[in-house]
Amino acid sequence: MMRRTAQFQTDGAERYMQRLCEHFGRKVETHCQRGKGCVEFGFGRCEMRADASALEMIASSETQDQLDNVIDVITSHLERYAFRENPRLEWLSTPNTAQQEEK
Protein backbone atom coordinates (compact mmCIF):
# COMPACT_ATOMS: atom_id res chain seq x y z
CA MET A 1 0.00 0.00 0.00
CA MET A 2 1.37 3.41 -0.96
CA ARG A 3 0.61 6.44 1.23
CA ARG A 4 1.07 10.18 1.22
CA THR A 5 0.13 12.66 3.93
CA ALA A 6 -0.66 16.38 3.75
CA GLN A 7 -1.71 18.95 6.32
CA PHE A 8 -3.71 22.10 5.79
CA GLN A 9 -3.43 24.62 8.64
CA THR A 10 -6.90 26.13 9.05
CA ASP A 11 -9.46 26.83 11.73
CA GLY A 12 -12.12 25.46 9.35
CA ALA A 13 -10.73 21.91 9.24
CA GLU A 14 -13.90 20.19 10.49
CA ARG A 15 -16.07 22.15 8.05
CA TYR A 16 -13.86 21.31 5.05
CA MET A 17 -13.69 17.64 6.01
CA GLN A 18 -17.48 17.43 6.30
CA ARG A 19 -17.91 19.18 2.97
CA LEU A 20 -15.56 16.77 1.23
CA CYS A 21 -17.36 13.77 2.76
CA GLU A 22 -20.79 15.14 1.82
CA HIS A 23 -19.72 15.91 -1.75
CA PHE A 24 -18.09 12.55 -2.44
CA GLY A 25 -20.79 10.69 -0.49
CA ARG A 26 -23.14 11.22 -3.40
CA LYS A 27 -21.04 8.86 -5.53
CA VAL A 28 -18.81 6.75 -3.28
CA GLU A 29 -18.77 5.43 0.26
CA THR A 30 -17.76 7.93 2.92
CA HIS A 31 -17.57 7.94 6.70
CA CYS A 32 -17.64 11.14 8.68
CA GLN A 33 -17.88 11.72 12.39
CA ARG A 34 -16.57 14.39 14.68
CA GLY A 35 -12.88 14.82 13.96
CA LYS A 36 -12.53 11.90 11.53
CA GLY A 37 -13.56 11.21 7.97
CA CYS A 38 -12.81 8.84 5.12
CA VAL A 39 -13.58 8.77 1.40
CA GLU A 40 -13.44 5.35 -0.29
CA PHE A 41 -12.79 5.73 -4.00
CA GLY A 42 -12.65 2.66 -6.23
CA PHE A 43 -8.97 3.41 -6.82
CA GLY A 44 -7.89 4.33 -3.28
CA ARG A 45 -8.96 6.19 -0.18
CA CYS A 46 -8.36 9.35 1.79
CA GLU A 47 -8.57 9.34 5.57
CA MET A 48 -8.95 12.72 7.26
CA ARG A 49 -8.49 14.05 10.78
CA ALA A 50 -9.67 17.50 11.75
CA ASP A 51 -8.91 19.51 14.86
CA ALA A 52 -9.09 23.17 15.83
CA SER A 53 -6.03 24.13 13.79
CA ALA A 54 -5.51 21.67 10.91
CA LEU A 55 -6.91 19.12 8.50
CA GLU A 56 -4.66 16.10 8.07
CA MET A 57 -5.22 13.94 5.00
CA ILE A 58 -3.75 10.50 4.39
CA ALA A 59 -4.12 9.25 0.81
CA SER A 60 -3.50 5.58 0.10
CA SER A 61 -3.71 3.25 -2.88
CA GLU A 62 -2.10 0.18 -4.42
CA THR A 63 -0.28 1.87 -7.32
CA GLN A 64 1.43 5.20 -7.89
CA ASP A 65 -1.02 6.16 -10.65
CA GLN A 66 -3.99 5.44 -8.40
CA LEU A 67 -2.37 7.32 -5.50
CA ASP A 68 -1.75 10.31 -7.77
CA ASN A 69 -5.42 10.19 -8.74
CA VAL A 70 -6.57 10.21 -5.08
CA ILE A 71 -4.26 13.14 -4.35
CA ASP A 72 -5.40 15.08 -7.43
CA VAL A 73 -9.10 14.61 -6.66
CA ILE A 74 -8.82 15.56 -2.97
CA THR A 75 -6.48 18.49 -3.65
CA SER A 76 -8.62 19.98 -6.43
CA HIS A 77 -11.79 19.81 -4.35
CA LEU A 78 -10.17 21.22 -1.22
CA GLU A 79 -8.66 24.06 -3.25
CA ARG A 80 -12.12 24.84 -4.60
CA TYR A 81 -13.81 24.76 -1.18
CA ALA A 82 -11.06 26.66 0.65
CA PHE A 83 -10.14 29.10 -2.13
CA ARG A 84 -10.13 32.07 0.25
CA GLU A 85 -7.39 30.40 2.29
CA ASN A 86 -5.41 29.32 -0.79
CA PRO A 87 -4.31 25.90 0.50
CA ARG A 88 -0.88 24.82 -0.65
CA LEU A 89 -0.69 21.11 0.01
CA GLU A 90 2.57 19.25 0.10
CA TRP A 91 1.92 15.51 0.00
CA LEU A 92 4.73 13.71 1.81
CA SER A 93 5.62 10.03 2.02
CA THR A 94 4.80 8.38 5.31
CA PRO A 95 7.61 6.37 6.96
CA ASN A 96 5.96 3.06 5.98
CA THR A 97 5.68 4.13 2.35
CA ALA A 98 9.29 5.26 2.12
CA GLN A 99 10.49 1.85 3.40
CA GLN A 100 8.19 -0.07 1.04
CA GLU A 101 9.19 1.97 -2.01
CA GLU A 102 12.92 1.33 -1.38
CA LYS A 103 12.41 -2.46 -1.57
Side-chain angles (χ1 to χ4, degrees):
M1 182 71 63
M2 304 181 81
R3 296 179 192 270
R4 297 285 186 275
T5 303
Q7 282 201 344
F8 173 39
Q9 300 298 316
T10 177
D11 60 359
E14 182 85 24
R15 182 179 72 243
Y16 292 132
M17 180 186 69
Q18 288 176 346
R19 184 131 187 231
L20 288 165
C21 287
E22 287 172 8
H23 173 76
F24 291 118
R26 296 181 188 127
K27 296 182 180 182
V28 299
E29 185 177 344
T30 62
H31 308 279
C32 196
Q33 56 187 328
R34 187 160 180 83
K36 294 181 181 180
C38 183
V39 179
E40 301 276 351
F41 300 106
F43 47 85
R45 69 187 295 177
C46 184
E47 297 173 57
M48 296 171 277
R49 291 187 209 114
D51 62 27
S53 63
L55 176 61
E56 178 185 33
M57 295 157 286
I58 303 162
S60 60
S61 194
E62 293 296 325
T63 69
Q64 185 63 51
D65 286 342
Q66 291 173 332
L67 182 62
D68 290 343
N69 199 13
V70 173
I71 290 169
D72 289 345
V73 170
I74 292 293
T75 298
S76 67
H77 283 78
L78 183 60
E79 286 174 344
R80 194 174 321 145
Y81 298 146
F83 70 93
R84 288 186 179 94
E85 296 186 59
N86 194 23
R88 300 228 182 255
L89 301 180
E90 183 177 357
W91 291 88
L92 305 172
S93 295
T94 61
N96 272 356
T97 303
Q99 291 172 0
Q100 289 174 351
E101 289 174 358
E102 289 175 5
K103 292 182 181 180

